[in-house]
Amino acid sequence: MGYKHYVLIFPLVLGMGFVLSIAPSTKAQKQVSSQNINQTAQILEKIEEYNPLNQPPPKSQPLADSNQETTTTVKETNKETNNDTLGQIEQYNQLNQPSEISPSLERVNSVNQLSDVLPTDWAYSALQGLAERYGCLLAYPNTTFNGNIAISRYEFAANLNECLQVIQSLIEEFDEAYISQEDLAKSQRLQEDFAIEIADIKSRLNALETRTDILEANQFSTTTLLKGEVILALYDVFGSEDEEGATVTTQNIQTSFGHAVTLNFDTSFTGKDFLRTRLRAGRLPGVSGGTQTNTTLFNFGFDTNEQVRLTEVYYIFPLNRKMSLYVGAAGLDFDLMARALNPKLVSGTKGSLALFPAYNPTIYIQVGGAGLGYSYQINDNLRLDLAYLGGAPGGGTGRVNEPREGGGLFNGTYSGYAQFTASLNRDFDVSFAYVRAYYTADLVNLAGFTGSKNAQEPFGKVATSADHFGFQSSYRWAQFTIAGWVGYSNAEAETGDRQGDEADIWHWALTVAIDDLLFENGMLGFSVGQQPKLTHIDGGEDDPDTSIQFQLFYDYQITNNINITNGFFLETKPEHDDKNELLWVIITRTTWRF
């Protein structure tokens, strides 16, 4: 089997063992564990909810209904924009997470509305009278405390403290005569009986206020939130001995361990707009450089040679409730606006390991970088997305910022996009997309980095134009999400001896994802497809054979911030040439988000 096989298989087995060891065996165990929370911790969480500084922002509606997030070798995009983007961003801020123990409290008028407070206690009757006369009791929105047992002393003390404060404010505003002597006596006795609990609550409130002051004094910005991601990956590629005439090789490829770091500065000025600035650094190039074929590109990672690079600057804002506008100077890609209809595999942090099965490459991995985009949600079922982008394939800026021949926004490499999406019901979506692209001689990318060299540059290094067509669909049923697409491209040489020659390129894919398989928060992913293949070219030779790519992976979400993914993908005849032997690519990917 070879030494390098054991080197890779051991960490794969170790990774899966780690997932199995930490995963809860049943949902019931999780529920039992959550019920053992200490009552003291519960009341502290409730107190924190009383603090207006810790109230979570309201939920917002999507600005653009494209809720996919992906990290690819050539780009990583955030597909979800919304009517209250800053509020959505703050939901992910660790300092602003709402309590998971209980919902926000709201006032009720009577203790009788609290179905789980025992009415036989003297304290209950006393608090009942105070609450009904002064409207000062707190409870959960469903008018019950968190459980079906008697209210704890700390929970009772929190409600009592609320009533005492109301009574005190009434005395200060009017005078003691405003409160009956009987009510004063009841409140005094209640205060004495629960003096320890009330003192503890006030102490914790003081500590909470101090902590809040520190956080406010040291917050990064009032309009900008910092989010980050770290990816570590262990990977290798295996294949048979090189045959005579082969163009793909596995010689001298070693087991590798790469890393990639992304920092996002997400800003909103109005609460409805969204400005993203992204910095990236890392050395996670994958194996395509060693195999000499793009068919083995990863759906994550990049190589900046340990330098920090600015890769995305774009701004999204709504024109009204149905229309949104996108303006970008770098990293603005069409898949930010239009739904790729492959939600389970599109992510580079917990989805597909290979780039090709993530989404239709001739539609969503075309020219991007700088330009304008427009989205129109016609109604609940129909959506139109349009864009004009210049720069380079995969979102690079290319020469879009160079005011010379072959550069600029309109004289260099560019693409015009249109996609019409129809939601036939809640679980079934289809879309048709069209891209008109022009590539300068040094930036030809017909296959979206995923096909054979012939499909990528059918006429060689000459200026080329192309019409790309794509039909995508996805269907959700129970735990299953099934998606797929068919893509066709017609290319034409624009200069050189072959000017006017045309070429045809086809590709297709089918993907399946199964949620909560084996473990809750686990997902099994499978894909099969034919990467872009040159099927016809004027005055030349098309790809001689047909290669099929298979992929299988399992992703487990350890916590809200950590994912580990183990899997492999294989290419049967790389470069659509049977002279190239089958390639196996095995990967363990771990992602931390903060």
Side-chain angles (χ1 to χ4, degrees):
M1 189 175 194
Y3 171 74
K4 66 183 291 186
H5 294 64
Y6 290 107
V7 171
L8 184 64
I9 292 174
F10 175 74
L12 286 175
V13 174
L14 182 62
M16 289 303 296
F18 175 63
V19 170
L20 293 173
S21 65
I22 63 174
S25 58
T26 63
K27 295 183 180 179
Q29 290 178 343
K30 287 188 175 182
Q31 296 171 352
V32 171
S33 175
S34 64
Q35 292 173 358
N36 293 330
I37 299 175
N38 185 275
Q39 288 184 344
T40 304
Q42 289 180 342
I43 193 61
L44 179 57
E45 297 293 340
K46 295 179 177 62
I47 294 170
E48 290 188 2
E49 291 185 354
Y50 298 159
N51 190 336
L53 296 176
N54 279 346
Q55 293 302 315
K59 300 281 187 178
S60 59
Q61 297 299 320
L63 177 69
D65 188 13
S66 53
N67 57 352
Q68 298 117 11
E69 172 182 310
T70 180
T71 304
T72 72
T73 306
V74 293
K75 64 187 175 179
E76 176 181 356
T77 55
N78 187 333
K79 313 305 188 293
E80 184 171 278
T81 55
N82 49 69
N83 286 334
D84 190 0
T85 311
L86 183 58
Q88 185 187 36
I89 294 171
E90 290 185 355
Q91 293 177 27
Y92 297 103
N93 187 347
Q94 297 301 311
L95 300 179
N96 286 336
Q97 291 297 324
S99 167
E100 296 181 356
I101 294 178
S102 62
S104 300
L105 298 179
E106 63 181 21
R107 292 180 182 276
V108 294
N109 294 326
S110 173
V111 178
N112 284 323
Q113 294 177 253
L114 303 176
S115 59
D116 57 352
V117 175
L118 293 178
T120 56
D121 296 340
W122 172 86
Y124 172 89
S125 301
L127 189 58
Q128 179 185 39
L130 296 177
E132 292 176 345
R133 280 187 287 277
Y134 306 110
C136 56
L137 193 61
L138 293 173
Y140 294 91
N142 62 358
T143 70
T144 64
F145 285 99
N146 198 21
N148 296 319
I149 61 175
I151 183 173
S152 72
R153 291 184 64 85
Y154 277 104
E155 290 172 320
F156 188 90
N159 287 272
L160 173 60
N161 188 59
E162 170 73 11
C163 272
L164 293 176
Q165 291 182 12
V166 171
I167 292 173
Q168 181 65 30
S169 64
L170 291 174
I171 292 176
E172 292 175 355
E173 184 176 356
F174 302 100
D175 52 47
E176 288 191 4
Y178 187 84
I179 309 298
S180 69
Q181 293 298 316
E182 182 180 0
D183 287 346
L184 287 174
K186 288 180 179 180
S187 63
Q188 182 176 1
R189 180 180 171 184
L190 288 169
Q191 189 172 7
E192 292 173 353
D193 289 351
F194 293 87
I196 296 177
E197 290 81 3
I198 292 176
D200 192 20
I201 288 173
K202 290 181 177 180
S203 175
R204 297 185 186 192
L205 281 174
N206 291 335
L208 179 61
E209 291 175 356
T210 301
R211 177 188 174 195
T212 301
D213 292 340
I214 294 174
L215 294 178
E216 288 184 336
N218 292 277
Q219 64 181 344
F220 173 72
S221 170
T222 58
T223 59
T224 302
L225 294 175
L226 172 63
K227 294 174 61 180
E229 177 182 275
V230 177
I231 296 178
L232 300 181
L234 179 69
Y235 50 92
D236 204 345
V237 58
F238 307 95
S240 302
E241 295 295 329
D242 296 338
E243 300 289 338
E244 183 179 354
T247 60
V248 174
T249 180
T250 58
Q251 290 183 352
N252 302 320
I253 297 180
Q254 305 298 317
T255 302
S256 302
F257 189 73
H259 64 278
V261 179
T262 299
L263 296 178
N264 294 322
F265 298 86
D266 294 335
T267 304
S268 182
F269 304 102
T270 66
K272 297 180 179 180
D273 59 345
F274 180 80
L275 171 66
R276 165 156 288 182
T277 305
R278 170 171 289 171
L279 300 177
R280 308 181 80 179
R283 296 299 302 271
L284 209 169
V287 299
S288 59
T291 60
Q292 301 178 22
T293 174
N294 283 338
T295 60
T296 55
L297 277 174
F298 293 172
N299 186 34
F300 60 94
F302 43 84
D303 186 0
T304 66
N305 197 25
E306 300 296 2
Q307 296 180 353
V308 178
R309 295 182 181 177
L310 177 67
T311 60
E312 289 187 7
V313 180
Y314 59 82
Y315 183 56
I316 307 171
F317 61 94
L319 300 176
N320 53 43
R321 295 185 62 183
K322 293 186 176 182
M323 301 181 188
S324 303
L325 195 64
Y326 304 73
V327 182
L332 181 62
D333 297 300
F334 189 56
D335 58 354
L336 275 165
M337 315 162 205
R339 297 174 58 192
L341 301 189
N342 195 19
K344 295 298 183 178
L345 268 68
V346 72
S347 171
T349 62
K350 56 184 178 180
S352 175
L353 296 170
L355 176 59
F356 173 66
Y359 40 38
N360 186 332
T362 58
I363 299 298
Y364 305 107
I365 314 181
Q366 283 301 313
V367 180
L372 297 173
Y374 168 81
S375 293
Y376 177 36
Q377 189 70 45
I378 302 172
N379 54 41
D380 292 341
N381 304 105
L382 301 176
R383 177 187 177 87
L384 177 66
D385 297 283
L386 304 171
Y388 176 89
L389 303 174
T397 55
R399 294 195 299 270
V400 71
N401 53 0
E402 299 179 12
R404 61 181 176 85
E405 186 69 23
L409 190 60
F410 302 104
N411 193 246
T413 299
Y414 62 85
S415 286
Y417 296 85
Q419 177 169 310
F420 183 77
T421 305
S423 298
L424 304 183
N425 55 50
R426 290 185 57 186
D427 299 315
F428 188 29
D429 301 313
V430 297
S431 72
F432 176 79
Y434 169 72
V435 180
R436 173 65 180 176
Y438 177 84
Y439 313 89
T440 55
D442 58 337
L443 293 175
V444 180
N445 178 41
L446 293 172
F449 295 106
T450 63
S452 65
K453 291 182 176 65
N454 291 333
Q456 188 86 349
E457 300 176 346
F459 313 109
K461 298 281 186 185
V462 300
T464 305
S465 63
D467 296 296
H468 301 285
F469 303 88
F471 176 80
Q472 297 78 225
S473 179
S474 70
Y475 178 71
R476 293 167 294 278
W477 174 69
Q479 296 173 272
F480 294 82
T481 301
I482 303 171
W485 67 80
V486 175
Y488 166 71
S489 301
N490 176 259
E492 181 178 351
E494 295 290 342
T495 60
D497 296 338
R498 304 188 63 176
Q499 184 175 0
D501 285 355
E502 296 186 3
D504 296 328
I505 300 166
W506 286 89
H507 63 92
W508 60 269
L510 175 68
T511 69
V512 178
I514 309 175
D515 290 322
D516 297 329
L517 184 67
L518 299 180
F519 306 104
E520 188 175 9
N521 298 325
M523 182 186 78
L524 180 70
F526 169 78
S527 66
V528 58
Q530 172 198 293
Q531 300 202 46
K533 173 185 174 181
L534 181 64
T535 59
H536 170 76
I537 183 170
D538 294 339
E541 295 184 359
D542 54 14
D543 287 327
D545 299 291
T546 299
S547 174
I548 301 296
Q549 185 189 83
F550 296 90
Q551 177 182 224
L552 184 68
F553 68 90
Y554 188 83
D555 175 80
Y556 181 72
Q557 184 169 323
I558 299 173
T559 69
N560 289 334
N561 304 97
I562 304 175
N563 280 76
I564 183 169
T565 311
N566 289 292
F568 68 89
F569 63 91
L570 59 88
E571 196 78 26
T572 59
K573 300 175 183 178
E575 294 293 315
H576 299 295
D577 189 344
D578 62 4
K579 293 180 181 179
N580 298 316
E581 296 295 327
L582 180 146
L583 293 178
W584 288 78
V585 182
I586 303 178
I587 306 171
T588 294
R589 176 187 63 198
T590 304
T591 306
W592 290 265
R593 294 174 296 276
F594 58 90

